[in-house]
Coordinates of all heavy atoms in Angstrom, one line a residue:
F142 N -5.0 0.9 16.4 CA -5.5 0.2 17.5 C -4.4 -0.2 18.5 O -3.5 -0.9 18.1 CB -6.3 -1.0 17.1 CG -7.0 -1.8 18.2 CD1 -8.2 -1.4 18.7 CD2 -6.4 -2.9 18.7 CE1 -8.8 -2.1 19.7 CE2 -7.0 -3.6 19.8 CZ -8.2 -3.2 20.2
G143 N -4.4 0.4 19.7 CA -3.4 0.0 20.7 C -4.0 -0.7 21.9 O -5.0 -0.2 22.5
D144 N -3.6 -1.9 22.1 CA -4.2 -2.7 23.2 C -3.5 -2.4 24.5 O -2.8 -3.2 25.2 CB -4.0 -4.2 22.8 CG -4.8 -5.1 23.8 OD1 -5.7 -4.6 24.6 OD2 -4.6 -6.3 23.8
T145 N -3.8 -1.2 25.0 CA -3.1 -0.8 26.3 C -3.6 -1.5 27.5 O -2.9 -1.6 28.5 CB -3.4 0.7 26.5 OG1 -4.8 1.0 26.2 CG2 -2.6 1.6 25.5
K146 N -4.7 -2.2 27.4 CA -5.3 -2.9 28.5 C -4.4 -4.2 28.8 O -4.3 -4.6 30.0 CB -6.7 -3.4 28.2 CG -7.4 -4.1 29.3 CD -8.8 -4.5 28.9 CE -9.5 -5.2 30.1 NZ -11.0 -5.6 29.7
H147 N -3.8 -4.7 27.8 CA -3.1 -6.0 28.0 C -1.6 -5.9 27.9 O -0.9 -6.9 27.8 CB -3.6 -7.0 27.0 CG -5.1 -7.4 27.2 ND1 -6.0 -7.1 26.2 CD2 -5.7 -8.0 28.2 CE1 -7.2 -7.5 26.7 NE2 -7.0 -8.0 27.8
L148 N -1.0 -4.6 27.8 CA 0.4 -4.5 27.6 C 1.1 -4.8 28.9 O 0.5 -4.8 30.0 CB 0.8 -3.1 27.1 CG 0.5 -1.9 28.1 CD1 1.6 -1.7 29.0 CD2 0.2 -0.7 27.3
P149 N 2.4 -5.2 28.9 CA 3.2 -5.4 27.7 C 3.0 -6.9 27.1 O 2.9 -7.9 27.9 CB 4.6 -5.2 28.1 CG 4.6 -5.7 29.6 CD 3.2 -5.3 30.1
Y150 N 2.9 -7.0 25.8 CA 2.8 -8.3 25.2 C 4.1 -9.1 25.4 O 4.1 -10.4 25.3 CB 2.6 -8.2 23.7 CG 1.1 -8.0 23.3 CD1 0.2 -7.5 24.2 CD2 0.7 -8.2 22.1 CE1 -1.2 -7.3 23.9 CE2 -0.6 -8.0 21.7 CZ -1.6 -7.5 22.6 OH -2.9 -7.3 22.2
G151 N 5.2 -8.5 25.6 CA 6.5 -9.1 25.6 C 6.7 -10.1 26.7 O 7.6 -10.9 26.7
E152 N 5.8 -10.0 27.7 CA 5.9 -11.0 28.8 C 4.7 -11.9 28.9 O 4.6 -12.6 29.9 CB 6.0 -10.2 30.1 CG 7.3 -9.3 30.2 CD 7.4 -8.4 31.4 OE1 6.6 -8.6 32.3 OE2 8.3 -7.5 31.5
K153 N 3.9 -11.9 27.9 CA 2.7 -12.8 27.8 C 3.0 -14.1 27.2 O 4.0 -14.2 26.4 CB 1.6 -12.1 27.0 CG 1.1 -10.7 27.6 CD 0.2 -11.0 28.9 CE -0.5 -9.8 29.3 NZ 0.3 -8.6 29.7
T154 N 2.1 -15.1 27.4 CA 2.3 -16.4 26.7 C 1.9 -16.2 25.2 O 1.2 -15.3 24.9 CB 1.4 -17.4 27.3 OG1 0.0 -17.1 27.1 CG2 1.7 -17.6 28.8
A155 N 2.4 -17.1 24.4 CA 2.1 -17.1 22.9 C 0.6 -17.2 22.8 O 0.0 -16.5 21.9 CB 2.7 -18.2 22.2
G156 N -0.1 -18.0 23.6 CA -1.6 -18.2 23.5 C -2.3 -16.9 23.7 O -3.3 -16.5 23.0
H157 N -1.9 -16.1 24.8 CA -2.5 -14.9 25.1 C -2.3 -13.8 24.0 O -3.2 -13.1 23.6 CB -2.0 -14.3 26.4 CG -2.7 -15.0 27.6 ND1 -2.0 -15.8 28.5 CD2 -4.0 -14.9 28.0 CE1 -2.9 -16.2 29.4 NE2 -4.0 -15.7 29.2
I158 N -1.1 -13.8 23.5 CA -0.7 -12.8 22.4 C -1.5 -13.1 21.2 O -2.1 -12.2 20.5 CB 0.8 -12.9 22.1 CG1 1.6 -12.4 23.3 CG2 1.1 -12.1 20.8 CD1 3.1 -12.6 23.1
L159 N -1.7 -14.4 20.8 CA -2.5 -14.7 19.7 C -4.0 -14.3 19.9 O -4.6 -13.8 19.0 CB -2.4 -16.2 19.4 CG -3.3 -16.7 18.2 CD1 -2.9 -16.0 16.9 CD2 -3.1 -18.3 18.1
K160 N -4.5 -14.6 21.0 CA -5.9 -14.2 21.3 C -6.1 -12.7 21.2 O -7.0 -12.2 20.5 CB -6.3 -14.6 22.7 CG -7.8 -14.2 23.1 CD -8.1 -14.5 24.5 CE -9.5 -14.1 24.8 NZ -9.8 -12.7 24.6
Y161 N -5.2 -11.9 21.8 CA -5.4 -10.4 21.8 C -5.2 -9.9 20.3 O -5.9 -9.0 19.9 CB -4.3 -9.8 22.7 CG -4.5 -10.2 24.2 CD1 -3.3 -10.3 25.0 CD2 -5.7 -10.5 24.7 CE1 -3.4 -10.6 26.3 CE2 -5.8 -10.9 26.0 CZ -4.6 -10.9 26.8 OH -4.7 -11.3 28.1
T162 N -4.2 -10.5 19.6 CA -4.0 -10.0 18.3 C -5.1 -10.4 17.3 O -5.5 -9.5 16.5 CB -2.7 -10.7 17.7 OG1 -1.6 -10.3 18.6 CG2 -2.4 -10.2 16.3
L163 N -5.7 -11.5 17.5 CA -6.9 -11.9 16.7 C -8.1 -10.9 17.0 O -8.8 -10.5 16.0 CB -7.3 -13.3 17.0 CG -6.5 -14.4 16.3 CD1 -6.9 -15.8 16.9 CD2 -6.6 -14.4 14.8
D164 N -8.3 -10.6 18.2 CA -9.3 -9.6 18.6 C -9.0 -8.3 17.9 O -9.9 -7.6 17.4 CB -9.4 -9.4 20.1 CG -9.9 -10.6 20.8 OD1 -10.6 -11.4 20.2 OD2 -9.7 -10.6 22.0
A165 N -7.8 -7.8 17.8 CA -7.4 -6.6 17.2 C -7.6 -6.7 15.7 O -8.1 -5.7 15.1 CB -5.9 -6.3 17.5
M166 N -7.3 -7.8 15.1 CA -7.5 -8.0 13.6 C -8.9 -7.8 13.3 O -9.3 -7.2 12.3 CB -6.9 -9.3 13.1 CG -5.4 -9.4 13.3 SD -4.4 -8.2 12.4 CE -4.0 -7.1 13.8
R167 N -9.8 -8.5 14.1 CA -11.2 -8.4 13.8 C -11.8 -7.0 14.0 O -12.6 -6.6 13.1 CB -12.0 -9.4 14.8 CG -11.7 -10.9 14.5 CD -12.5 -11.8 15.4 NE -12.1 -13.2 15.2 CZ -11.4 -13.9 16.1 NH1 -10.9 -13.3 17.2 NH2 -11.1 -15.1 15.9
F168 N -11.3 -6.3 14.9 CA -11.7 -4.9 15.1 C -11.3 -4.1 13.9 O -12.1 -3.3 13.4 CB -11.0 -4.3 16.4 CG -11.3 -2.9 16.5 CD1 -12.5 -2.4 17.1 CD2 -10.3 -1.9 16.2 CE1 -12.7 -1.0 17.2 CE2 -10.6 -0.6 16.3 CZ -11.8 -0.1 16.8
L169 N -10.0 -4.2 13.5 CA -9.6 -3.4 12.3 C -10.3 -3.7 11.0 O -10.6 -2.9 10.2 CB -8.1 -3.5 12.2 CG -7.2 -2.8 13.3 CD1 -5.8 -3.2 13.2 CD2 -7.4 -1.3 13.2
I170 N -10.5 -5.0 10.9 CA -11.3 -5.4 9.7 C -12.7 -4.8 9.7 O -13.2 -4.4 8.7 CB -11.3 -7.0 9.6 CG1 -9.9 -7.5 9.2 CG2 -12.3 -7.4 8.5 CD1 -9.8 -9.0 9.4
N171 N -13.3 -4.8 10.9 CA -14.7 -4.2 11.0 C -14.6 -2.7 10.8 O -15.7 -2.1 10.5 CB -15.3 -4.5 12.4 CG -15.7 -6.0 12.5 OD1 -16.0 -6.6 11.5 ND2 -15.7 -6.5 13.7
Q172 N -13.4 -2.1 10.9 CA -13.3 -0.7 10.6 C -12.9 -0.4 9.2 O -12.5 0.7 8.8 CB -12.2 -0.1 11.5 CG -12.5 -0.1 13.0 CD -13.6 0.8 13.4 OE1 -13.7 1.9 12.9 NE2 -14.5 0.3 14.2
D173 N -13.1 -1.4 8.3 CA -12.9 -1.3 6.9 C -11.4 -1.2 6.5 O -11.1 -0.5 5.5 CB -13.7 -0.2 6.3 CG -15.2 -0.4 6.4 OD1 -15.6 -1.5 6.2 OD2 -15.9 0.6 6.6
C174 N -10.5 -1.8 7.3 CA -9.1 -1.8 6.9 C -8.8 -2.9 5.9 O -9.2 -4.1 6.2 CB -8.2 -2.0 8.2 SG -8.3 -0.6 9.3

């Protein structure tokens, strides 16, 4: 899962990075990871 819509994370706030990462974790868990 690559979050190309919100890159680069390296210039985002910690709050935004956490939100995007949590969304990615939920997606991957729903994909049976």
Side-chain angles (χ1 to χ4, degrees):
F142 183 83
D144 189 14
T145 47
K146 183 178 180 180
H147 297 115
L148 67 87
Y150 278 19
E152 298 175 10
K153 298 287 192 298
T154 65
H157 281 111
I158 294 172
L159 179 58
K160 178 187 182 301
Y161 300 147
T162 301
L163 285 171
D164 289 343
M166 295 303 101
R167 294 186 183 102
F168 173 82
L169 289 169
I170 290 169
N171 287 335
Q172 295 295 314
D173 295 325
C174 292

